[in-house]
Amino acid sequence: MEQEIRSSGPVRVQSSLCFSGALVDGPRIQQLLLHCAAALESNDVTLAQQAMWVLNNIASSQGDPNQRLTSSLLRGLVARACRTCGSPRGAGSMAAPLLGRRAMSVTELADYVDLTPWHRFGFTASNGAILRAVTGRDAVHVVDLGATRCMQWPTLIDALSKRPGGPPALRITVPSVRPAGPPLVGVSDEELGLRLANFAKSKGVQLEFNVVDNNNNSTNTPSSAPAKPLTLSQELLASVLSDPPALGLRDGEALVVNCQSWLRHVAPGSRDEFLDAVRALGPCLVTVTDEDADLDSPSLAARITGCFSFHWILFDALDTSAPRDSPRWLEHEAAVGQKIESVVGADDGERSESGARLADRMRRRGFAVVGFGDGEVEEVRQLLSEHATGWGVKREEDMLVLTWKGHAAVFTTAWAPN
Amino acid sequence: MASEAMSNPFAPLTNQQQLQQPSSHDHEHPPPPPAKKKRSLPGTPDPEAEVIALSPRTLMATNRFVCEICGKGFQRDQNLQLHRRGHNLPWKLKQRSGKEPRKRVYVCPEKTCVHNNPARALGDLTGIKKHFCRKHGEKKWKCDKCAKRYAVQSDWKAHSKTCGTREYRCDCGTLFSRRDSFITHRAFCDALAEETARITAANSGAAAAGQGYLFAGSAPAGMAVRPHSMMLPPPAAAHLIRPAGGQMLGHTAGAVGDMLCEGAAARHGGLSLWGGENTLPSSMGMQHIGGLLSSGGAGAPMPPQMYADLFAPTSAGAPQQFDMAQLSWMYGNSGGSGKLSSSNASELTTNSSREADSAPSVFSGQQHAKPAAPPADMSATALLQRAAQIGSVTSSNNATMPVMGAFEPAPKSAARDEERNKFFFGASQHNANVSGAMSELTAATGSMPYDLFSAARHAGLKDAVGREETRDFLGVGMQALCSSSIHGWI
C-alpha cells in the first residue's frame, strides 16, 4: 500500500500521521477515504477492509483535527459497511466511546452554545429579522424548529421587552420530537418552557410556551409493516406541519417559523413538500439557518469529500476557543462526529444543503427574500468581535454567511411568502 | 475530482489536486461583477488559484498591496492609493486595471500546521500572516489586567480595549463578558427562578413573613424538629438541614431565620382570622409556634418571599379541599400582629386529615417537573412551576370561598376576591405596584390571607390528580423531600 514513500526527513510531531514511512496528510487521508467509499459502493469487501485498516491506523479520536475527522468518517463508513453486509450491528467497536457523557444542565447548554459564534450568529441575525417583521404586531407566535433547545429565545425576549410601544404577547411552540444528539441535555421541554416563561415575566413579556406532540404516528403504521421508526421529517410532515390545529394557530398572530439547523434533517426529496407545508401556515417570516455546505449528494464519495472539507472549520475554530479535550471542546467534537457519521453512514441521515442552493429552493417554493438591515449586520459584527479573531461575516444579497478564516461556515436567511 | 482521486489514491498529488481553495473573496476586493458570482462549495478547488508558499521571513515581510509602478509595498490599500498619486499618473493609468489578478492563496510555512495543507490555505495574505504570528509566533504582548498574551499587536490592542470594561454578573456568581451569553444564561439559571419567586412573594405581601414557620425546622437550635408531623415533618426538616448541594437548601435555612424574624414583625391583615379562632386544641402548643417565631436562625441570604409564590393568590374557582387552616397558619403570622394563637395550630390539626389528599398536590407537581438535574435545579423548577401555575390563574377567580368564611365572619364577595386577586397579580407583575397593592389589601377587610389561601389551595389542587405517592400528613413524602426542598416547606 505504501506506494509513496517520502525520503528521509524527520518524523513530524504527529507521528501517527506517518504510516510506514509515508507522511499521510490531509489530501492523502481524503483519498484513502474515497478509495474506501468506492470499494464499499462496488461491494469490493476486501479492498474496503484494507482501506479501513489503514485508515484505522491513521485515525484517532485523540489526535489532531484531521485525525479526528478521519475517525468520524471511518466510523460512518464502518456503519455503512455493516449495513451493506447485512450485519445488524452498528458501528460496533469502532464507535467512539461515549466517554461517560452525562447529560448537560440547561446552563451548561447555554455555555456550550456560546463557545463560538457558530450558533449565535444565526440567533442574532434571525432575531433581528423577527423583530423587524413583527413591528407593530401585538401577538407573535414562533414555531421553533431548532436544534438548540430554545437557546435562541432569551435574547429575542429581551429585545422585545424593550420595543418602543411595549412588547407583544409571545407564544413559542416546539415539536416534541426533535433531532437527538450530542449534546445530551437533561432537561425536559416543559422545564425549559417554564424557565423561559419565568424569564419573560421578569422582563414584562407575556410568554406562552407549548410543546406539540408530533409523535403520534405510531398508531398509524399499517399492521403489516414492521415497526420502523419514522424519520424526523416524516414525523414533522405527517403531524405537526400538516396539522395546523396541532400548532394551535390563532387569528391575529404574527406567525414566525424558525428553522435552525433543521432543514438538514428533512430528507432532500421531501424538502419541497416541507416548505410548502410551512408556507401554507401563512407565516409572516420564515428564518432558515444552517451549515453552509453541500453534503446531500447521492454520491458517497462526494459527501465524504464534503465532510472532510467542511467540518475541519469548526475543529479549527474550537482550538482557539477552548483547550483541546476540555469538556466543552469534546462536546462540540462529539456533535460534529455525530453529524459526520449521519451524513456518511446513514442512508436517511442528515443532508446539509448550502445556502446558495437553499435560497434557490426557497424562491422556487414561492418565498421572497427578506434582506438583513444594516443594524442587524452591525449587531452580528459586534458579536463576532467578542469572539476570537478569525470570524467574519459575508453579506450577500440574500443571506449572511459566517466565515472562519474566510471559509464559509454557517448561512442565515429570512424569507416571507410571496 | 473525486474520480481522479480514486484512480490512484497513493499517487503523488498533482498540482491540480493541491489547489483546493474555496473561491470566497474577502471583503477587501473590488465589488463583484454584475453577474452573480456563484460561490464555490467549501473544499472545492479553484483550479485557477495559485498556491503561494513563502518562508516565514518572506511571509512576514511581504506586503499585500504593492505599487505596480515602483514595487513598493504597503499594508493597507489606502496607503497604496496615496502613494500612487505621487507618481503623477495620467488619468487612464490612474484607474486600476480592470483585469482581476489571478487568485492567490497562501499556505502556512509551519509544516505541522493545518494551514500548511493547500486544501486549507487562506486566501488573504494578511490573514495568513496574522495566523502564522498568532499560532506559531511568540506571544510578546501581554494584557495588563488579565493573564492573556498575544502574538499579534492588533489582537492585544483589541483585547485591552474590552478587557474588564463590560462584565455581567449573574446572581449565581458566574461572570460574563458578552451580553448575549449573560442574558441567555440568566434566562435559564436557577438564580432567576429563585429571585422571581422572591419578588412574587414580596408582591403578595403578607405571605412573606408567614413563610417563616415552614422552615422552622431547617434552622438549627430553636427550630426543633417537631415530633408532630403537622407543622414540619421531622424528615422534612432533616432534609432541609442536610447540607445537600442544592442552593435552595442553603437558602432555605437562611430564609427560615429571616422569615421567622419577620414573622414577629407586625404586619396586619388577616390576623383577625386568627384572633377569634378557638377551635380544637392541638398537640401543637402555642409554645411550639412561639418557639418557631422566636428562634431566629441564621441570617437570611434570601428573603423568605421566595417561597411565597407557592401561596400567591390564585383564583378561587377550584374546589376548596386544601387545608385552609394550614395555610392560614402559614400566613396568619404575617398577617398582623405576629402573634400566633394556639388556635392556629389547632386549625391545622383539625384539618390534618384533609391534608392527606390536598397537601400532596402542592408538591406533586414537582414530581413531574423532575429533570435529571441536581436538586438545585429541581427546586428552582418547582418554584417556577408554582409561579407559573399561580400566575396563570390570574383573574379567573370568581367563586367565593366558603371555607374561608368558616374562619372569618367578614363577608366576602366573589367580586371582592376577584378584585383582590387581580390586584395581587397586578402587583406581582410590577414591583412598582407593591406598595399600592399592600395598602389596598390591608385596607381591605383584612381577609387578605384568604386570597393567599385560595391561591395555595388552587396551586395545590392543580397537581392533585391522582398522586400515588405515599404522603404523610402534610403531603410531604420522603421521596419528595429528597428530590425537592419545596417539599419541606410545609
Side-chain angles (χ1 to χ4, degrees):
Chain A
M1 275 198 166
E2 301 83 64
Q3 297 179 20
E4 189 202 28
I5 296 179
R6 290 261 179 89
S7 58
S8 61
V11 172
R12 299 301 170 184
V13 172
Q14 297 123 358
S15 53
S16 49
L17 275 183
C18 192
F19 182 74
S20 295
L23 189 66
V24 192
D25 59 7
R28 283 168 184 75
I29 295 178
Q30 197 163 331
Q31 286 175 319
L32 272 172
L33 287 163
L34 294 173
H35 199 51
C36 181
L40 281 173
E41 285 187 328
S42 58
N43 269 323
D44 187 342
V45 177
T46 315
L47 196 51
Q49 283 177 337
Q50 285 177 334
M52 282 183 193
W53 182 80
V54 178
L55 283 167
N56 195 32
N57 277 283
I58 296 167
S60 166
S61 56
Q62 278 94 45
D64 69 8
N66 269 344
Q67 288 174 290
R68 294 180 195 230
L69 269 178
T70 306
S71 177
S72 299
L73 282 162
L74 186 57
R75 274 201 301 281
L77 285 173
V78 170
R80 178 171 220 92
C82 290
R83 223 190 327 274
T84 319
C85 307
S87 158
R89 255 182 359 139
S93 58
M94 283 187 153
L98 278 179
L99 305 169
R101 271 193 285 261
R102 61 166 185 81
M104 277 185 192
S105 74
V106 61
T107 42
E108 283 171 329
L109 178 64
D111 190 43
Y112 168 93
V113 154
D114 275 322
L115 185 66
T116 69
W118 198 270
H119 294 106
R120 192 158 288 286
F121 167 78
F123 293 172
T124 306
S126 299
N127 285 346
I130 293 174
L131 267 169
R132 225 167 0 108
V134 304
T135 325
R137 302 295 294 265
D138 294 324
V140 177
H141 181 194
V142 173
V143 172
D144 182 22
L145 304 178
T148 49
R149 310 295 299 278
C150 297
M151 288 296 131
Q152 179 170 349
W153 308 123
T155 41
L156 178 68
I157 290 171
D158 178 63
L160 283 175
S161 74
K162 299 178 178 144
R163 191 171 79 154
L170 180 64
R171 279 212 299 148
I172 296 179
T173 301
V174 300
S176 63
V177 175
R178 267 183 318 273
L184 290 165
V185 188
V187 138
S188 69
D189 286 334
E190 286 73 16
E191 184 184 345
L192 273 178
L194 214 49
R195 289 177 188 250
L196 214 52
N198 184 52
F199 171 71
K201 192 163 98 170
S202 77
K203 293 265 171 186
V205 178
Q206 177 193 328
L207 172 67
E208 186 186 322
F209 187 88
N210 291 301
V211 180
V212 175
D213 183 9
N214 60 334
N215 194 17
N216 54 6
N217 289 303
S218 43
T219 51
N220 297 341
T221 38
S223 50
S224 56
K228 177 183 183 289
L230 294 176
T231 62
L232 189 67
S233 52
Q234 288 169 324
E235 298 249 15
L236 268 184
L237 284 171
S239 55
V240 174
L241 290 186
S242 55
D243 185 18
L247 285 174
L249 301 181
R250 295 174 195 164
D251 290 334
E253 276 182 339
L255 177 67
V256 174
V257 178
N258 185 69
C259 300
Q260 181 251 330
S261 300
W262 190 266
L263 278 190
R264 65 171 93 145
H265 295 284
V266 178
S270 313
R271 274 172 206 173
D272 286 345
E273 201 187 326
F274 173 87
L275 290 174
D276 289 342
V278 167
R279 194 173 187 284
L281 296 175
C284 70
L285 189 77
V286 178
T287 56
V288 182
T289 302
D290 218 318
E291 291 180 349
D292 196 11
D294 280 308
L295 300 174
D296 60 348
S297 166
S299 150
L300 177 65
R303 296 206 302 276
I304 290 176
T305 310
C307 278
F308 203 70
S309 309
F310 178 75
H311 286 103
W312 75 268
I313 296 175
L314 183 54
F315 277 135
D316 194 52
L318 282 179
D319 273 345
T320 57
S321 314
R324 196 179 284 177
D325 292 333
S326 62
R328 277 294 101 78
W329 199 100
L330 288 173
E331 283 152 4
H332 277 274
E333 191 204 348
V336 174
Q338 207 247 1
K339 177 169 185 234
I340 292 176
E341 284 173 56
S342 179
V343 170
V344 162
D347 280 327
D348 56 354
E350 299 177 42
R351 297 287 185 265
S352 294
E353 185 174 42
S354 70
R357 287 176 57 226
L358 182 277
D360 286 339
R361 188 190 288 274
M362 295 297 285
R363 273 187 285 268
R364 282 199 308 270
R365 304 325 292 175
F367 288 93
V369 71
V370 173
F372 291 102
D374 288 338
E376 281 135 45
V377 177
E378 191 43 48
E379 234 188 296
V380 167
R381 286 199 208 277
Q382 171 65 23
L383 164 72
L384 297 184
S385 73
E386 293 170 334
H387 281 269
T389 328
W391 293 106
V393 55
K394 260 196 303 201
R395 189 177 185 176
E396 307 198 343
E397 67 180 56
D398 42 15
M399 66 183 79
L400 292 180
V401 182
L402 173 70
T403 59
W404 169 252
K405 294 184 180 172
H407 295 270
V410 176
F411 73 86
T412 180
T413 60
W415 305 88
N418 272 337
Chain B
M1 160 78 195
S3 54
E4 285 168 17
M6 285 191 308
S7 56
N8 188 356
F10 299 102
L13 287 178
T14 63
N15 207 35
Q16 278 303 98
Q17 287 167 328
Q18 275 177 342
L19 304 178
Q20 298 180 15
Q21 169 69 17
S23 63
S24 52
H25 287 239
D26 62 313
H27 36 276
E28 270 129 359
H29 279 192
K36 182 172 168 179
K37 213 164 185 63
K38 187 161 189 261
R39 274 195 296 124
S40 306
L41 314 171
T44 308
D46 177 357
E48 303 302 317
E50 182 186 359
V51 180
I52 315 275
L54 301 169
S55 76
R57 197 164 54 85
T58 318
L59 178 67
M60 296 316 288
T62 306
N63 287 310
R64 181 145 173 245
F65 300 98
V66 181
C67 174
E68 67 266 30
I69 298 165
C70 64
K72 194 164 151 90
F74 298 88
Q75 297 272 31
R76 295 167 122 187
D77 194 33
Q78 299 101 299
N79 300 348
L80 170 63
Q81 293 316 310
L82 266 169
H83 160 84
R84 278 172 90 241
R85 277 195 233 155
H87 283 299
N88 293 318
L89 300 168
W91 184 88
K92 254 210 228 160
L93 290 176
K94 268 205 187 125
Q95 308 306 314
R96 284 187 175 207
S97 126
K99 165 178 79 89
E100 209 164 296
R102 188 174 171 204
K103 172 83 182 153
R104 296 176 150 192
V105 297
Y106 303 89
V107 291
C108 178
E110 175 56 44
K111 287 288 191 298
T112 58
C113 182
V114 63
H115 291 296
N116 186 250
N117 176 352
R120 311 272 193 254
L122 299 181
D124 179 40
L125 177 64
T126 311
I128 196 79
K129 281 165 78 171
K130 282 203 171 157
H131 154 78
F132 181 72
C133 225
R134 251 178 232 129
K135 200 78 183 287
H136 312 296
E138 184 201 337
K139 293 188 157 71
K140 303 184 286 195
W141 305 93
K142 197 181 92 59
C143 174
D144 310 325
K145 296 171 223 154
C146 70
K148 287 196 170 164
R149 304 179 71 97
Y150 295 89
V152 178
Q153 188 184 17
S154 52
D155 291 348
W156 168 77
K157 262 199 203 160
H159 166 82
S160 301
K161 261 195 260 176
T162 62
C163 184
T165 50
R166 250 180 333 161
E167 269 181 358
Y168 305 91
R169 181 187 292 270
C170 178
D171 289 338
C172 69
T174 323
L175 269 179
F176 297 88
S177 57
R178 301 199 282 267
R179 186 165 184 270
D180 288 347
S181 313
F182 166 64
I183 291 178
T184 308
H185 166 92
R186 182 157 173 73
F188 294 110
C189 183
D190 291 345
L192 180 66
E194 291 153 16
E195 187 191 311
T196 309
R198 196 185 331 142
I199 290 172
T200 315
N203 293 342
S204 38
Q211 306 307 309
Y213 299 125
L214 307 179
F215 304 94
S218 67
M223 322 306 213
V225 172
R226 313 269 152 241
H228 199 309
S229 61
M230 164 164 58
M231 289 302 177
L232 265 183
H239 285 246
L240 281 174
I241 296 171
R242 212 174 19 157
Q247 58 210 71
M248 285 308 281
L249 295 181
H251 290 145
T252 304
V256 179
D258 200 352
M259 284 186 249
L260 288 178
C261 298
E262 282 193 32
R267 259 256 213 150
H268 83 91
L271 269 208
S272 49
L273 172 71
W274 310 115
E277 291 310 323
N278 196 354
T279 47
L280 311 166
S282 85
S283 54
M284 292 287 309
M286 194 174 341
Q287 66 246 55
H288 282 281
I289 300 171
L292 281 175
L293 281 179
S294 54
S295 34
M302 278 186 52
Q305 291 89 345
M306 85 159 129
Y307 302 125
D309 65 323
L310 262 191
F311 312 99
T314 55
S315 101
Q320 300 132 23
Q321 302 147 13
F322 202 78
D323 49 317
M324 296 306 303
Q326 185 181 20
L327 290 170
S328 20
W329 167 73
M330 291 188 270
Y331 290 92
N333 214 42
S334 68
S337 64
K339 66 177 167 127
L340 271 187
S341 63
S342 52
S343 57
N344 298 347
S346 34
E347 283 306 331
L348 284 162
T349 335
T350 26
N351 290 310
S352 67
S353 54
R354 281 196 288 177
E355 263 145 53
D357 51 304
S358 53
S361 57
V362 178
F363 310 110
S364 52
Q366 277 64 43
Q367 295 301 321
H368 287 273
K370 212 184 317 193
D377 289 340
M378 183 62 167
S379 46
T381 309
L383 269 181
L384 281 175
Q385 224 184 15
R386 282 298 116 223
Q389 285 165 347
I390 290 159
S392 67
V393 195
T394 315
S395 41
S396 56
N397 151 44
N398 42 22
T400 51
M401 295 187 266
V403 179
M404 294 204 300
F407 291 107
E408 207 218 16
K412 272 184 56 109
S413 68
R416 224 214 186 107
D417 289 347
E418 186 148 8
E419 180 183 284
R420 261 199 301 274
N421 282 351
K422 271 188 189 145
F423 207 73
F424 259 129
F425 277 99
S428 69
Q429 299 296 331
H430 308 281
N431 286 347
N433 292 342
V434 174
S435 50
M438 282 304 301
S439 48
E440 160 123 356
L441 287 165
T442 52
T445 58
S447 54
M448 174 172 60
Y450 286 108
D451 299 327
L452 302 172
F453 302 148
S454 61
R457 212 181 337 106
H458 289 295
L461 288 165
K462 286 237 157 172
D463 305 305
V465 186
R467 301 283 167 251
E468 294 301 319
E469 302 94 341
T470 316
R471 305 256 179 196
D472 63 15
F473 176 75
L474 286 175
V476 185
M478 287 296 295
Q479 208 173 351
L481 286 171
C482 293
S483 57
S484 167
S485 62
I486 259 193
H487 296 268
W489 292 350
I490 292 188

